[in-house]
Amino acid sequence: MKVFFDLDGTLTDPKEGIVKSINYVLDKFSLSAHEPSSLERFIGPPLVDIFRVLLDTDDSETLMRAAIWFRERYAAEGYLENYMYDGIPELLSSLQPNHSLFVATSKRQDIAANILAHFGLAQYFTAIYGCDVDLSKTDLLKQILYEHSFDPSDCIMIGDRMHDIDAAHANNIPAIAVLWGYGSHEELINADYIISAPSEVSSFV
């Protein structure tokens, strides 16, 4: 089976780096910083969606500039303000012998690769896929399926937010939702399976 993992909120906890990078962007727009707890709901969604809400705009040029500024800080230091969830190396090690593992994240590919290398996780993955600013996770999964000629019925997506679940289902891929990240049980109710610990993943793959 081909197993696609989200990154933020699934393999690692990126809260500190994301919060600081969002506030960096707000400062660039001469806006006040937000409390970290109020920004948790923005961990996981695409950057354009985040700043559409925080900047209250649909202006594509403004949103693109915000995303570029976010990635400017995040690529320099934010990706290191990050913590690996307990049990992740053991999970990946148990799956790798019998399955092909991939990362499919809304992050830029090179940033995702740096994070995985930092935590010693890159070795477990066949490939790491990320998104440009204007590429959705739905289209990313579609691209991966096409590139490798994968059968969606032989794939599964694992993530912590509803856009992971929706992207998987849009491509006819079953989805496992994890509760140790930033999505609530209510948000993830449409997932095929909902689990609360990395040790439970193997039972559904």
Side-chain angles (χ1 to χ4, degrees):
M1 178 171 283
K2 288 72 181 176
V3 185
F4 302 125
F5 283 90
D6 173 48
L7 178 54
D8 290 347
T10 302
L11 299 176
T12 68
D13 181 351
K15 179 180 175 179
E16 181 182 351
I18 286 180
V19 165
K20 288 182 177 179
S21 297
I22 288 175
N23 280 329
Y24 171 83
V25 174
L26 296 180
D27 182 65
K28 287 279 195 178
F29 283 103
S30 299
L31 298 172
S32 300
H34 287 225
E35 288 296 319
S37 60
S38 72
L39 294 176
E40 286 187 0
R41 65 191 177 109
F42 296 113
I43 298 174
L47 292 176
V48 168
D49 292 346
I50 293 171
F51 291 112
R52 183 177 288 116
V53 174
L54 289 174
L55 300 177
D56 191 24
T57 183
D58 284 314
D59 179 68
S60 59
E61 184 177 334
T62 299
L63 295 172
M64 185 67 69
R65 188 161 69 251
I68 289 170
W69 278 337
F70 177 94
R71 285 177 162 173
E72 175 182 272
R73 185 197 181 277
Y74 199 86
E77 55 189 311
Y79 79 97
L80 294 174
E81 298 162 336
N82 204 337
Y83 306 90
M84 183 169 57
Y85 290 112
D86 291 341
I88 293 301
E90 293 82 1
L91 164 62
L92 299 177
S93 179
S94 69
L95 292 177
Q96 188 187 38
N98 299 308
H99 306 285
S100 298
L101 310 184
F102 299 83
V103 168
T105 175
S106 295
K107 274 186 164 42
R108 208 170 65 196
Q109 187 274 339
D110 60 322
I111 296 174
N114 286 341
I115 292 169
L116 293 167
H118 174 69
F119 288 111
L121 300 179
Q123 62 180 311
Y124 296 109
F125 294 99
T126 299
I128 299 163
Y129 289 92
C131 292
D132 292 328
V133 172
D134 58 351
L135 183 68
S136 69
K137 183 159 283 189
T138 295
D139 288 338
L140 177 65
L141 290 178
K142 182 179 180 180
Q143 175 183 307
I144 297 170
L145 292 175
Y146 176 80
E147 180 178 326
H148 294 280
S149 299
F150 286 158
D151 180 349
S153 66
D154 189 41
C155 300
I156 197 161
M157 178 75 204
I158 301 174
D160 73 310
R161 300 303 304 268
M162 67 179 179
H163 70 279
D164 298 314
I165 310 308
D166 291 344
H169 287 168
N171 286 284
N172 299 311
I173 298 172
I176 296 175
V178 305
L179 293 177
W180 59 81
Y182 287 91
S184 66
H185 192 283
E186 182 180 17
E187 175 185 336
L188 299 168
I189 197 67
N190 290 328
D192 298 277
Y193 313 101
I194 299 177
I195 61 174
S196 57
S199 59
E200 298 175 31
V201 171
S202 297
S203 300
F204 297 96
V205 174

